[in-house]
């Protein structure tokens, strides 16, 4: 069974950093992570797109995280990361990784993670 495994969340003080990781558990054969979106959802708020990496390699960030968050991908390890610096209390959310797997045939598999909690508090 193919699953998305997120890690790296936790409690950090304002101004601190965390690096979230997202990898695939289970066999995806010849598939590779092609694009990925990191969403977040704070208590009582709607889920929002925090950062995205497109299949063409470009990145997009929510205005609120621009210049603080960086999304990247390790091709060899089939893992994606979200580096979060200068964290603020308003970054407190559950972060979800949604990768798109591309196969050599051209077909795509869209996956959704279960989320990892990030809490920014002193």
């Amino acid at each position: 069974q193919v699953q998305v495994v997120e890690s790296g969340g936790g409690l950090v003080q304002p101004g601190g950093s965390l690096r979230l990781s997202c990898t695939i558990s289970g066999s995806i054969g010849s598939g590779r992570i092609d694009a990925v979106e990191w969403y977040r959802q704070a208590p009582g708020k709607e889920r929002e797109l925090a950062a995205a990496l497109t299949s063409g390699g470009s990145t997009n960030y929510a205005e609120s995280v621009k210049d603080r968050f960086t999304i990247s991908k390790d091709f060899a390890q089939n893992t994606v990361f979200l580096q979060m610096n200068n964290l603020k209390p308003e970054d407190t959310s559950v972060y979800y990784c949604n990768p798109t797997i591309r196969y050599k045939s051209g077909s795509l598999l869209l996956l959704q993670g279960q989320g990892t909690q990030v809490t920014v508090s002193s």
Side-chain angles (χ1 to χ4, degrees), residues 8-21:
L11 173 64
V12 64
Q13 293 186 342
S17 297
L18 285 174
R19 188 174 81 155
L20 304 184
S21 299

Side-chain angles (χ1 to χ4, degrees), residues 5-115:
V5 179
E6 298 137 322
S7 61
L11 173 64
V12 64
Q13 293 186 342
S17 297
L18 285 174
R19 188 174 81 155
L20 304 184
S21 299
C22 170
T23 191
I24 309 300
S25 171
S27 177
I28 55 172
S30 63
R32 290 291 181 269
I33 294 179
D34 186 53
V36 64
E37 296 174 329
W38 283 98
Y39 286 85
R40 67 182 185 178
Q41 187 166 20
K45 295 188 177 181
E46 293 187 356
R47 187 174 295 196
E48 66 169 352
L49 180 63
L53 176 65
T54 71
S55 59
S58 61
T59 55
N60 297 298
Y61 299 96
E63 197 63 36
S64 58
V65 308
K66 201 171 290 185
D67 299 326
R68 299 188 297 120
F69 288 15
T70 303
I71 190 170
S72 61
K73 182 170 65 172
D74 183 323
F75 289 93
Q77 299 297 322
N78 226 7
T79 301
V80 294
F81 304 98
L82 184 66
Q83 178 68 42
M84 307 185 296
N85 299 326
N86 191 21
L87 283 161
K88 305 176 180 181
E90 52 264 41
D91 294 318
T92 295
S93 290
V94 178
Y95 285 73
Y96 300 88
C97 172
N98 288 4
T100 298
I101 309 301
R102 179 179 294 274
Y103 291 86
K104 291 182 180 178
S105 64
S107 61
L108 302 176
L109 174 64
L110 278 62
L111 300 173
Q112 294 185 357
Q114 294 301 307

